[in-house]
Amino acid sequence: MTTTFTIAVIAPSLLNTNGDAENARVLARRAEWAGETATIVAVEVASDLPERPDAVVIGSGSDSALVPARDLLLEIQDQLRVWSTSGVPILAVGTGWELISWGVERAVGGVVEGLGILAGRGVPRRERASGDLVLSSRFGRIVGFENHARDYVGAEGSPLGRVLSGSGNGRDSSQEGVVMGDVIGTHLHGPVLAKNPALADHLLTSMFERRGLVYQRGERAASVDDYAVAARNQILTGLGLDAD
Amino acid sequence: MRYVPAIVIGRTVRTLARLRKPGGGSAVPGLVVNKVAPGYLATTLNSFRDGLVIVSGSSGKSTTTKMLVAVLRAHGRSVFTNPSTANISQGLTSALLERADLQGRIHDDIAVLEMDEGHGALIAAELSPRVVALTNVMVDQIDRFHDSEMVATMLTAIAARATDAVVVNADDGYLVQLASSVPAGVRVDRFGVSSAVLDAAPHGLGHARLAPERLSDPSGIVVGAVSGRTASMLIDGDEHTVGLPARGVHYATDAAAALSTARAVLGSAFDVDLAVAAVGSIPPVFGRGEVVEVRGQQVEFVLVQNPASYQLNIDTLEPGAPVLFAIGSDVRDPSYFWPVDTSRVSRVDIVSGSKAWELALQLSYDDVEIDRVETDLGRAVDDFLALPQPATGVKTIVFSADSMRRTRAHLGLTSEGEPS
Ligand SMILES: [Zn+2]
């Protein structure tokens, strides 16, 4: 008997500018490679929401998507709140992160209120931060790419990691992201879980535990992770940092 | 006579630029003439006997322009057109200078300009095109500062200049909306695909907004079916088979756009059989479906410029053909390729380019099997060509622009437009 994991991805038609919604695919594949099955449910309207997801992914979108994405999130906020406090891993990237925080202060157009699930909020920064971003964290070094026009303030209590290279949350905080249990908010866009298998496997371990299973990285995952190591090392050495 | 001094200066600059750098400096004379005679460009473009035609949109404008020019020439019209690399005002002025007499006049019947949606909107304000043809507004995630709403706004500004007709893709939601606000007295002509063609496209057409309905207007040109390098189209009630420069629904749509635009320009002089034959004579372009003989074997080169073209090209790959994928340093962060569904490929022989590892990751999470990752592109190409010839299909190299340049250089292939 295999267990079928359900991964909900919120509004991928609005929030997938940099492939951040594809982190759902990374979780699903790794669950399959560990011998189970997985389905990805795209939640474009509130009624798409699965009853008991094993993980939730919220990607990043353009500023024109802020209000429509927030309106969808408002409709499902009760469930998100319950899951966030009951140990369901939630990965929120960029705009998606800002929308489950206290909210977004836009340079033009005022404030977009968030759901308030995570502490802190997005505030305009002088220049767009765009480039490689490397952190030290309890999951080891996290390597990825950031591209955002806002800083994030109010995450000082529990960041995802310390910035080794790049901008991160900004405002001289030297920190990046915010973590509350297994709810993670980050500027690291795109397939952050593919490039950081340790972070992916941390979330998978939680997902498996909640189903009474023990997660063990599959054989295929191990060989794919060799590509991740090579991709990471290329970025790390390019920044003058030590390779993994 | 008022442009004589400017033309003389422009020609002198051109001669000097060529002495300094043979074959180069082509935009400089345009820059100089635009400075000394700022009205020259618009005045000249507005003075063709049969008028000015502008082709714009997110993608397909080069192919559409080439096809349209071929159709007009087949009808005996002499056409001034811009090389696709020079669609900014300096380049355009320089291109005009190449053909102008000493008064600055051009003796062609008609001008057909391919315009980038950004620069096009800037100079369009001074132009009075008879016909404006708009291909599409595609999902263009390569450039986050330049979203589809902005592209649609710029295309609206270009379309607002049309005096006779606006030709639009009826499958594009933005263009359908744009067409509803064309001023009275300006005709709207439409082209599009049938619902059968749409249903057969595994990932749709790539439009930022798909129009809710297929084209039903009998006066429009409808692509009824696409098979390999031919498409069947319904034109004025008759079915025609149209040859395409390469496989793919987007080429069929470009052909429909060119035929619709040619019909709008030529009116009663439009000869459909002549037009269809002219479209079919367009040669394929390197990197866009052209099959090239390299080291004694046939190889197809496929250029990927953004997620939409990546998806389209994946969807039209011949199943079972050996593939080399290469993404180079021109793609700063390959994250935005992740929404592209590559699972249809199932197996890649070699993954290469400076972003090979990231590309290998994406393919792996689509459960694509990878035989080998080789970051050295030259070696990857050599080894790929050394693989045994496939039983079906031709070897295919899919690459980003930077990897394309390197591959061409490595294989000693001449650049586009040069005699080979
Ligand atoms: Zn653009």
Side-chain angles (χ1 to χ4, degrees), chain B residues 347-382:
Chain B
R347 184 172 159 276
V348 171
D349 294 80
I350 305 179
V351 175
S352 187
S354 57
K355 293 284 159 48
W357 301 112
E358 305 231 12
L359 184 56
L361 267 182
Q362 187 209 348
L363 293 166
S364 299
Y365 280 103
D366 266 342
D367 269 341
V368 176
E369 239 179 274
I370 296 167
D371 278 13
R372 178 178 160 202
V373 178
E374 171 54 66
T375 49
D376 181 335
L377 182 59
R379 185 181 297 168
V381 168
D382 290 343

PDB file of all heavy atoms in Angstrom, chain B residues 347-382:
ATOM      1  N   ARG B 347      13.340  11.726 -22.849  1.00  0.00           N
ATOM      2  CA  ARG B 347      14.763  11.396 -22.767  1.00  0.00           C
ATOM      3  C   ARG B 347      15.598  12.431 -23.524  1.00  0.00           C
ATOM      4  O   ARG B 347      15.251  12.804 -24.650  1.00  0.00           O
ATOM      5  CB  ARG B 347      14.999  10.006 -23.373  1.00  0.00           C
ATOM      6  CG  ARG B 347      16.421   9.523 -23.252  1.00  0.00           C
ATOM      7  CD  ARG B 347      16.531   8.064 -23.692  1.00  0.00           C
ATOM      8  NE  ARG B 347      17.904   7.786 -24.048  1.00  0.00           N
ATOM      9  CZ  ARG B 347      18.420   8.047 -25.248  1.00  0.00           C
ATOM     10  NH1 ARG B 347      17.663   8.561 -26.197  1.00  0.00           N
ATOM     11  NH2 ARG B 347      19.687   7.792 -25.475  1.00  0.00           N
ATOM     12  N   VAL B 348      16.698  12.885 -22.895  1.00  0.00           N
ATOM     13  CA  VAL B 348      17.615  13.828 -23.535  1.00  0.00           C
ATOM     14  C   VAL B 348      18.995  13.186 -23.575  1.00  0.00           C
ATOM     15  O   VAL B 348      19.451  12.624 -22.577  1.00  0.00           O
ATOM     16  CB  VAL B 348      17.659  15.175 -22.770  1.00  0.00           C
ATOM     17  CG1 VAL B 348      18.759  16.073 -23.293  1.00  0.00           C
ATOM     18  CG2 VAL B 348      16.321  15.889 -22.848  1.00  0.00           C
ATOM     19  N   ASP B 349      19.648  13.246 -24.733  1.00  0.00           N
ATOM     20  CA  ASP B 349      20.961  12.610 -24.867  1.00  0.00           C
ATOM     21  C   ASP B 349      22.040  13.355 -24.103  1.00  0.00           C
ATOM     22  O   ASP B 349      22.788  12.755 -23.350  1.00  0.00           O
ATOM     23  CB  ASP B 349      21.330  12.501 -26.350  1.00  0.00           C
ATOM     24  CG  ASP B 349      20.384  11.544 -27.061  1.00  0.00           C
ATOM     25  OD1 ASP B 349      19.258  11.956 -27.402  1.00  0.00           O
ATOM     26  OD2 ASP B 349      20.754  10.373 -27.212  1.00  0.00           O
ATOM     27  N   ILE B 350      22.098  14.681 -24.333  1.00  0.00           N
ATOM     28  CA  ILE B 350      23.112  15.470 -23.635  1.00  0.00           C
ATOM     29  C   ILE B 350      22.497  16.800 -23.190  1.00  0.00           C
ATOM     30  O   ILE B 350      21.767  17.433 -23.955  1.00  0.00           O
ATOM     31  CB  ILE B 350      24.344  15.761 -24.529  1.00  0.00           C
ATOM     32  CG1 ILE B 350      24.946  14.457 -25.075  1.00  0.00           C
ATOM     33  CG2 ILE B 350      25.414  16.540 -23.754  1.00  0.00           C
ATOM     34  CD1 ILE B 350      26.147  14.655 -25.982  1.00  0.00           C
ATOM     35  N   VAL B 351      22.790  17.209 -21.965  1.00  0.00           N
ATOM     36  CA  VAL B 351      22.413  18.531 -21.476  1.00  0.00           C
ATOM     37  C   VAL B 351      23.699  19.338 -21.370  1.00  0.00           C
ATOM     38  O   VAL B 351      24.689  18.855 -20.811  1.00  0.00           O
ATOM     39  CB  VAL B 351      21.714  18.438 -20.102  1.00  0.00           C
ATOM     40  CG1 VAL B 351      21.443  19.834 -19.545  1.00  0.00           C
ATOM     41  CG2 VAL B 351      20.409  17.657 -20.211  1.00  0.00           C
ATOM     42  N   SER B 352      23.710  20.555 -21.934  1.00  0.00           N
ATOM     43  CA  SER B 352      24.958  21.315 -21.969  1.00  0.00           C
ATOM     44  C   SER B 352      24.730  22.811 -21.757  1.00  0.00           C
ATOM     45  O   SER B 352      23.633  23.238 -21.420  1.00  0.00           O
ATOM     46  CB  SER B 352      25.686  21.051 -23.300  1.00  0.00           C
ATOM     47  OG  SER B 352      26.964  21.648 -23.272  1.00  0.00           O
ATOM     48  N   GLY B 353      25.801  23.585 -21.947  1.00  0.00           N
ATOM     49  CA  GLY B 353      25.760  25.026 -21.726  1.00  0.00           C
ATOM     50  C   GLY B 353      26.182  25.352 -20.305  1.00  0.00           C
ATOM     51  O   GLY B 353      26.260  24.470 -19.447  1.00  0.00           O
ATOM     52  N   SER B 354      26.451  26.645 -20.062  1.00  0.00           N
ATOM     53  CA  SER B 354      26.941  27.003 -18.737  1.00  0.00           C
ATOM     54  C   SER B 354      25.866  26.827 -17.667  1.00  0.00           C
ATOM     55  O   SER B 354      26.162  26.755 -16.492  1.00  0.00           O
ATOM     56  CB  SER B 354      27.491  28.433 -18.738  1.00  0.00           C
ATOM     57  OG  SER B 354      26.495  29.320 -19.169  1.00  0.00           O
ATOM     58  N   LYS B 355      24.596  26.748 -18.058  1.00  0.00           N
ATOM     59  CA  LYS B 355      23.520  26.504 -17.080  1.00  0.00           C
ATOM     60  C   LYS B 355      23.046  25.043 -17.145  1.00  0.00           C
ATOM     61  O   LYS B 355      21.899  24.730 -16.790  1.00  0.00           O
ATOM     62  CB  LYS B 355      22.354  27.469 -17.335  1.00  0.00           C
ATOM     63  CG  LYS B 355      22.714  28.915 -17.053  1.00  0.00           C
ATOM     64  CD  LYS B 355      22.749  29.200 -15.561  1.00  0.00           C
ATOM     65  CE  LYS B 355      23.532  30.405 -15.114  1.00  0.00           C
ATOM     66  NZ  LYS B 355      23.366  31.657 -15.753  1.00  0.00           N
ATOM     67  N   ALA B 356      23.952  24.155 -17.577  1.00  0.00           N
ATOM     68  CA  ALA B 356      23.573  22.749 -17.776  1.00  0.00           C
ATOM     69  C   ALA B 356      23.007  22.104 -16.520  1.00  0.00           C
ATOM     70  O   ALA B 356      22.025  21.361 -16.584  1.00  0.00           O
ATOM     71  CB  ALA B 356      24.787  21.956 -18.263  1.00  0.00           C
ATOM     72  N   TRP B 357      23.602  22.392 -15.358  1.00  0.00           N
ATOM     73  CA  TRP B 357      23.168  21.705 -14.136  1.00  0.00           C
ATOM     74  C   TRP B 357      21.756  22.108 -13.752  1.00  0.00           C
ATOM     75  O   TRP B 357      20.953  21.273 -13.330  1.00  0.00           O
ATOM     76  CB  TRP B 357      24.142  21.982 -12.982  1.00  0.00           C
ATOM     77  CG  TRP B 357      25.543  21.545 -13.295  1.00  0.00           C
ATOM     78  CD1 TRP B 357      26.631  22.341 -13.476  1.00  0.00           C
ATOM     79  CD2 TRP B 357      26.003  20.195 -13.514  1.00  0.00           C
ATOM     80  NE1 TRP B 357      27.740  21.579 -13.790  1.00  0.00           N
ATOM     81  CE2 TRP B 357      27.384  20.259 -13.805  1.00  0.00           C
ATOM     82  CE3 TRP B 357      25.378  18.948 -13.480  1.00  0.00           C
ATOM     83  CZ2 TRP B 357      28.154  19.137 -14.073  1.00  0.00           C
ATOM     84  CZ3 TRP B 357      26.142  17.822 -13.750  1.00  0.00           C
ATOM     85  CH2 TRP B 357      27.511  17.919 -14.035  1.00  0.00           C
ATOM     86  N   GLU B 358      21.458  23.404 -13.900  1.00  0.00           N
ATOM     87  CA  GLU B 358      20.115  23.874 -13.554  1.00  0.00           C
ATOM     88  C   GLU B 358      19.088  23.282 -14.519  1.00  0.00           C
ATOM     89  O   GLU B 358      17.981  22.906 -14.131  1.00  0.00           O
ATOM     90  CB  GLU B 358      20.063  25.404 -13.623  1.00  0.00           C
ATOM     91  CG  GLU B 358      21.129  26.035 -12.753  1.00  0.00           C
ATOM     92  CD  GLU B 358      20.585  27.101 -11.822  1.00  0.00           C
ATOM     93  OE1 GLU B 358      19.358  27.201 -11.682  1.00  0.00           O
ATOM     94  OE2 GLU B 358      21.411  27.822 -11.244  1.00  0.00           O
ATOM     95  N   LEU B 359      19.473  23.217 -15.790  1.00  0.00           N
ATOM     96  CA  LEU B 359      18.584  22.639 -16.796  1.00  0.00           C
ATOM     97  C   LEU B 359      18.353  21.154 -16.514  1.00  0.00           C
ATOM     98  O   LEU B 359      17.224  20.651 -16.615  1.00  0.00           O
ATOM     99  CB  LEU B 359      19.228  22.839 -18.173  1.00  0.00           C
ATOM    100  CG  LEU B 359      18.461  22.405 -19.403  1.00  0.00           C
ATOM    101  CD1 LEU B 359      17.113  23.082 -19.461  1.00  0.00           C
ATOM    102  CD2 LEU B 359      19.273  22.744 -20.657  1.00  0.00           C
ATOM    103  N   ALA B 360      19.431  20.455 -16.115  1.00  0.00           N
ATOM    104  CA  ALA B 360      19.314  19.032 -15.783  1.00  0.00           C
ATOM    105  C   ALA B 360      18.357  18.827 -14.607  1.00  0.00           C
ATOM    106  O   ALA B 360      17.584  17.863 -14.578  1.00  0.00           O
ATOM    107  CB  ALA B 360      20.686  18.453 -15.462  1.00  0.00           C
ATOM    108  N   LEU B 361      18.388  19.758 -13.646  1.00  0.00           N
ATOM    109  CA  LEU B 361      17.475  19.676 -12.508  1.00  0.00           C
ATOM    110  C   LEU B 361      16.022  19.794 -12.971  1.00  0.00           C
ATOM    111  O   LEU B 361      15.165  18.997 -12.582  1.00  0.00           O
ATOM    112  CB  LEU B 361      17.758  20.820 -11.527  1.00  0.00           C
ATOM    113  CG  LEU B 361      18.708  20.583 -10.364  1.00  0.00           C
ATOM    114  CD1 LEU B 361      18.779  21.843  -9.514  1.00  0.00           C
ATOM    115  CD2 LEU B 361      18.284  19.389  -9.517  1.00  0.00           C
ATOM    116  N   GLN B 362      15.775  20.799 -13.800  1.00  0.00           N
ATOM    117  CA  GLN B 362      14.399  20.992 -14.278  1.00  0.00           C
ATOM    118  C   GLN B 362      13.899  19.751 -15.011  1.00  0.00           C
ATOM    119  O   GLN B 362      12.789  19.264 -14.765  1.00  0.00           O
ATOM    120  CB  GLN B 362      14.306  22.207 -15.195  1.00  0.00           C
ATOM    121  CG  GLN B 362      12.847  22.524 -15.554  1.00  0.00           C
ATOM    122  CD  GLN B 362      12.673  23.189 -16.899  1.00  0.00           C
ATOM    123  OE1 GLN B 362      13.639  23.630 -17.528  1.00  0.00           O
ATOM    124  NE2 GLN B 362      11.444  23.257 -17.348  1.00  0.00           N
ATOM    125  N   LEU B 363      14.711  19.246 -15.922  1.00  0.00           N
ATOM    126  CA  LEU B 363      14.313  18.070 -16.705  1.00  0.00           C
ATOM    127  C   LEU B 363      14.067  16.874 -15.791  1.00  0.00           C
ATOM    128  O   LEU B 363      13.106  16.122 -15.969  1.00  0.00           O
ATOM    129  CB  LEU B 363      15.380  17.748 -17.754  1.00  0.00           C
ATOM    130  CG  LEU B 363      15.554  18.785 -18.873  1.00  0.00           C
ATOM    131  CD1 LEU B 363      16.846  18.540 -19.644  1.00  0.00           C
ATOM    132  CD2 LEU B 363      14.357  18.763 -19.825  1.00  0.00           C
ATOM    133  N   SER B 364      14.926  16.700 -14.795  1.00  0.00           N
ATOM    134  CA  SER B 364      14.804  15.553 -13.886  1.00  0.00           C
ATOM    135  C   SER B 364      13.480  15.577 -13.134  1.00  0.00           C
ATOM    136  O   SER B 364      12.844  14.549 -12.949  1.00  0.00           O
ATOM    137  CB  SER B 364      15.944  15.539 -12.882  1.00  0.00           C
ATOM    138  OG  SER B 364      17.176  15.426 -13.547  1.00  0.00           O
ATOM    139  N   TYR B 365      13.078  16.779 -12.687  1.00  0.00           N
ATOM    140  CA  TYR B 365      11.816  16.861 -11.945  1.00  0.00           C
ATOM    141  C   TYR B 365      10.598  16.725 -12.864  1.00  0.00           C
ATOM    142  O   TYR B 365       9.481  16.605 -12.388  1.00  0.00           O
ATOM    143  CB  TYR B 365      11.765  18.136 -11.096  1.00  0.00           C
ATOM    144  CG  TYR B 365      12.549  17.963  -9.806  1.00  0.00           C
ATOM    145  CD1 TYR B 365      13.808  18.505  -9.643  1.00  0.00           C
ATOM    146  CD2 TYR B 365      12.017  17.198  -8.766  1.00  0.00           C
ATOM    147  CE1 TYR B 365      14.528  18.310  -8.465  1.00  0.00           C
ATOM    148  CE2 TYR B 365      12.732  16.991  -7.595  1.00  0.00           C
ATOM    149  CZ  TYR B 365      13.980  17.541  -7.451  1.00  0.00           C
ATOM    150  OH  TYR B 365      14.689  17.337  -6.284  1.00  0.00           O
ATOM    151  N   ASP B 366      10.811  16.759 -14.182  1.00  0.00           N
ATOM    152  CA  ASP B 366       9.755  16.393 -15.127  1.00  0.00           C
ATOM    153  C   ASP B 366       9.880  14.913 -15.504  1.00  0.00           C
ATOM    154  O   ASP B 366       9.253  14.453 -16.455  1.00  0.00           O
ATOM    155  CB  ASP B 366       9.853  17.259 -16.398  1.00  0.00           C
ATOM    156  CG  ASP B 366       8.954  18.482 -16.321  1.00  0.00           C
ATOM    157  OD1 ASP B 366       8.034  18.489 -15.476  1.00  0.00           O
ATOM    158  OD2 ASP B 366       9.164  19.427 -17.110  1.00  0.00           O
ATOM    159  N   ASP B 367      10.734  14.190 -14.784  1.00  0.00           N
ATOM    160  CA  ASP B 367      10.978  12.772 -15.051  1.00  0.00           C
ATOM    161  C   ASP B 367      11.547  12.500 -16.437  1.00  0.00           C
ATOM    162  O   ASP B 367      11.310  11.456 -17.038  1.00  0.00           O
ATOM    163  CB  ASP B 367       9.705  11.935 -14.816  1.00  0.00           C
ATOM    164  CG  ASP B 367       9.650  11.431 -13.363  1.00  0.00           C
ATOM    165  OD1 ASP B 367      10.707  11.412 -12.705  1.00  0.00           O
ATOM    166  OD2 ASP B 367       8.553  11.068 -12.901  1.00  0.00           O
ATOM    167  N   VAL B 368      12.290  13.481 -16.960  1.00  0.00           N
ATOM    168  CA  VAL B 368      12.989  13.281 -18.229  1.00  0.00           C
ATOM    169  C   VAL B 368      14.305  12.562 -17.912  1.00  0.00           C
ATOM    170  O   VAL B 368      15.019  12.951 -16.984  1.00  0.00           O
ATOM    171  CB  VAL B 368      13.286  14.638 -18.916  1.00  0.00           C
ATOM    172  CG1 VAL B 368      14.103  14.437 -20.183  1.00  0.00           C
ATOM    173  CG2 VAL B 368      11.987  15.367 -19.208  1.00  0.00           C
ATOM    174  N   GLU B 369      14.602  11.536 -18.667  1.00  0.00           N
ATOM    175  CA  GLU B 369      15.850  10.811 -18.461  1.00  0.00           C
ATOM    176  C   GLU B 369      16.997  11.564 -19.136  1.00  0.00           C
ATOM    177  O   GLU B 369      16.846  12.041 -20.263  1.00  0.00           O
ATOM    178  CB  GLU B 369      15.732   9.441 -19.129  1.00  0.00           C
ATOM    179  CG  GLU B 369      15.914   8.273 -18.204  1.00  0.00           C
ATOM    180  CD  GLU B 369      15.745   7.000 -18.998  1.00  0.00           C
ATOM    181  OE1 GLU B 369      14.590   6.564 -19.154  1.00  0.00           O
ATOM    182  OE2 GLU B 369      16.773   6.487 -19.483  1.00  0.00           O
ATOM    183  N   ILE B 370      18.110  11.687 -18.463  1.00  0.00           N
ATOM    184  CA  ILE B 370      19.257  12.400 -19.026  1.00  0.00           C
ATOM    185  C   ILE B 370      20.417  11.422 -19.149  1.00  0.00           C
ATOM    186  O   ILE B 370      20.826  10.798 -18.171  1.00  0.00           O
ATOM    187  CB  ILE B 370      19.661  13.585 -18.121  1.00  0.00           C
ATOM    188  CG1 ILE B 370      18.527  14.607 -18.076  1.00  0.00           C
ATOM    189  CG2 ILE B 370      20.949  14.233 -18.622  1.00  0.00           C
ATOM    190  CD1 ILE B 370      18.684  15.644 -16.991  1.00  0.00           C
ATOM    191  N   ASP B 371      20.929  11.267 -20.372  1.00  0.00           N
ATOM    192  CA  ASP B 371      22.064  10.359 -20.554  1.00  0.00           C
ATOM    193  C   ASP B 371      23.341  10.945 -20.002  1.00  0.00           C
ATOM    194  O   ASP B 371      24.157  10.255 -19.432  1.00  0.00           O
ATOM    195  CB  ASP B 371      22.257  10.048 -22.046  1.00  0.00           C
ATOM    196  CG  ASP B 371      21.320   8.943 -22.498  1.00  0.00           C
ATOM    197  OD1 ASP B 371      20.393   8.617 -21.727  1.00  0.00           O
ATOM    198  OD2 ASP B 371      21.507   8.418 -23.618  1.00  0.00           O
ATOM    199  N   ARG B 372      23.507  12.257 -20.202  1.00  0.00           N
ATOM    200  CA  ARG B 372      24.792  12.845 -19.836  1.00  0.00           C
ATOM    201  C   ARG B 372      24.683  14.365 -19.712  1.00  0.00           C
ATOM    202  O   ARG B 372      23.938  14.995 -20.469  1.00  0.00           O
ATOM    203  CB  ARG B 372      25.784  12.498 -20.959  1.00  0.00           C
ATOM    204  CG  ARG B 372      27.159  13.056 -20.773  1.00  0.00           C
ATOM    205  CD  ARG B 372      28.049  12.593 -21.915  1.00  0.00           C
ATOM    206  NE  ARG B 372      29.196  13.442 -22.056  1.00  0.00           N
ATOM    207  CZ  ARG B 372      29.899  13.558 -23.179  1.00  0.00           C
ATOM    208  NH1 ARG B 372      29.543  12.878 -24.258  1.00  0.00           N
ATOM    209  NH2 ARG B 372      30.943  14.339 -23.231  1.00  0.00           N
ATOM    210  N   VAL B 373      25.416  14.922 -18.737  1.00  0.00           N
ATOM    211  CA  VAL B 373      25.541  16.376 -18.620  1.00  0.00           C
ATOM    212  C   VAL B 373      26.977  16.720 -18.988  1.00  0.00           C
ATOM    213  O   VAL B 373      27.921  16.140 -18.450  1.00  0.00           O
ATOM    214  CB  VAL B 373      25.220  16.871 -17.192  1.00  0.00           C
ATOM    215  CG1 VAL B 373      25.411  18.380 -17.088  1.00  0.00           C
ATOM    216  CG2 VAL B 373      23.796  16.499 -16.788  1.00  0.00           C
ATOM    217  N   GLU B 374      27.153  17.628 -19.935  1.00  0.00           N
ATOM    218  CA  GLU B 374      28.499  18.017 -20.375  1.00  0.00           C
ATOM    219  C   GLU B 374      28.507  19.545 -20.492  1.00  0.00           C
ATOM    220  O   GLU B 374      27.926  20.093 -21.423  1.00  0.00           O
ATOM    221  CB  GLU B 374      28.810  17.356 -21.729  1.00  0.00           C
ATOM    222  CG  GLU B 374      30.076  17.840 -22.395  1.00  0.00           C
ATOM    223  CD  GLU B 374      31.298  17.722 -21.498  1.00  0.00           C
ATOM    224  OE1 GLU B 374      31.684  16.592 -21.187  1.00  0.00           O
ATOM    225  OE2 GLU B 374      31.846  18.779 -21.082  1.00  0.00           O
ATOM    226  N   THR B 375      29.144  20.207 -19.517  1.00  0.00           N
ATOM    227  CA  THR B 375      29.081  21.675 -19.523  1.00  0.00           C
ATOM    228  C   THR B 375      29.889  22.297 -20.667  1.00  0.00           C
ATOM    229  O   THR B 375      29.614  23.418 -21.066  1.00  0.00           O
ATOM    230  CB  THR B 375      29.567  22.260 -18.176  1.00  0.00           C
ATOM    231  OG1 THR B 375      30.803  21.638 -17.849  1.00  0.00           O
ATOM    232  CG2 THR B 375      28.550  22.011 -17.074  1.00  0.00           C
ATOM    233  N   ASP B 376      30.870  21.575 -21.185  1.00  0.00           N
ATOM    234  CA  ASP B 376      31.650  22.092 -22.320  1.00  0.00           C
ATOM    235  C   ASP B 376      30.818  21.905 -23.592  1.00  0.00           C
ATOM    236  O   ASP B 376      30.660  20.797 -24.100  1.00  0.00           O
ATOM    237  CB  ASP B 376      32.970  21.319 -22.415  1.00  0.00           C
ATOM    238  CG  ASP B 376      33.852  21.820 -23.558  1.00  0.00           C
ATOM    239  OD1 ASP B 376      33.315  22.389 -24.536  1.00  0.00           O
ATOM    240  OD2 ASP B 376      35.070  21.619 -23.481  1.00  0.00           O
ATOM    241  N   LEU B 377      30.285  23.025 -24.107  1.00  0.00           N
ATOM    242  CA  LEU B 377      29.345  22.946 -25.221  1.00  0.00           C
ATOM    243  C   LEU B 377      29.984  22.377 -26.492  1.00  0.00           C
ATOM    244  O   LEU B 377      29.367  21.588 -27.211  1.00  0.00           O
ATOM    245  CB  LEU B 377      28.748  24.338 -25.491  1.00  0.00           C
ATOM    246  CG  LEU B 377      27.706  24.442 -26.602  1.00  0.00           C
ATOM    247  CD1 LEU B 377      26.504  23.557 -26.330  1.00  0.00           C
ATOM    248  CD2 LEU B 377      27.246  25.896 -26.777  1.00  0.00           C
ATOM    249  N   GLY B 378      31.233  22.777 -26.763  1.00  0.00           N
ATOM    250  CA  GLY B 378      31.912  22.290 -27.963  1.00  0.00           C
ATOM    251  C   GLY B 378      32.021  20.776 -27.951  1.00  0.00           C
ATOM    252  O   GLY B 378      31.701  20.096 -28.939  1.00  0.00           O
ATOM    253  N   ARG B 379      32.437  20.243 -26.809  1.00  0.00           N
ATOM    254  CA  ARG B 379      32.569  18.792 -26.689  1.00  0.00           C
ATOM    255  C   ARG B 379      31.195  18.122 -26.789  1.00  0.00           C
ATOM    256  O   ARG B 379      31.041  17.078 -27.421  1.00  0.00           O
ATOM    257  CB  ARG B 379      33.239  18.437 -25.357  1.00  0.00           C
ATOM    258  CG  ARG B 379      33.519  16.952 -25.224  1.00  0.00           C
ATOM    259  CD  ARG B 379      34.161  16.627 -23.895  1.00  0.00           C
ATOM    260  NE  ARG B 379      35.466  17.272 -23.730  1.00  0.00           N
ATOM    261  CZ  ARG B 379      36.119  17.322 -22.576  1.00  0.00           C
ATOM    262  NH1 ARG B 379      35.598  16.797 -21.485  1.00  0.00           N
ATOM    263  NH2 ARG B 379      37.305  17.904 -22.509  1.00  0.00           N
ATOM    264  N   ALA B 380      30.194  18.746 -26.156  1.00  0.00           N
ATOM    265  CA  ALA B 380      28.835  18.193 -26.195  1.00  0.00           C
ATOM    266  C   ALA B 380      28.333  18.087 -27.637  1.00  0.00           C
ATOM    267  O   ALA B 380      27.787  17.060 -28.043  1.00  0.00           O
ATOM    268  CB  ALA B 380      27.887  19.059 -25.368  1.00  0.00           C
ATOM    269  N   VAL B 381      28.565  19.147 -28.421  1.00  0.00           N
ATOM    270  CA  VAL B 381      28.106  19.155 -29.814  1.00  0.00           C
ATOM    271  C   VAL B 381      28.850  18.079 -30.615  1.00  0.00           C
ATOM    272  O   VAL B 381      28.239  17.316 -31.368  1.00  0.00           O
ATOM    273  CB  VAL B 381      28.294  20.562 -30.430  1.00  0.00           C
ATOM    274  CG1 VAL B 381      28.097  20.533 -31.934  1.00  0.00           C
ATOM    275  CG2 VAL B 381      27.329  21.561 -29.789  1.00  0.00           C
ATOM    276  N   ASP B 382      30.166  18.011 -30.433  1.00  0.00           N
ATOM    277  CA  ASP B 382      30.958  16.992 -31.148  1.00  0.00           C
ATOM    278  C   ASP B 382      30.457  15.583 -30.836  1.00  0.00           C
ATOM    279  O   ASP B 382      30.253  14.770 -31.733  1.00  0.00           O
ATOM    280  CB  ASP B 382      32.438  17.091 -30.751  1.00  0.00           C
ATOM    281  CG  ASP B 382      33.094  18.351 -31.308  1.00  0.00           C
ATOM    282  OD1 ASP B 382      32.514  18.946 -32.237  1.00  0.00           O
ATOM    283  OD2 ASP B 382      34.170  18.735 -30.800  1.00  0.00           O
TER     284      ASP B 382
END
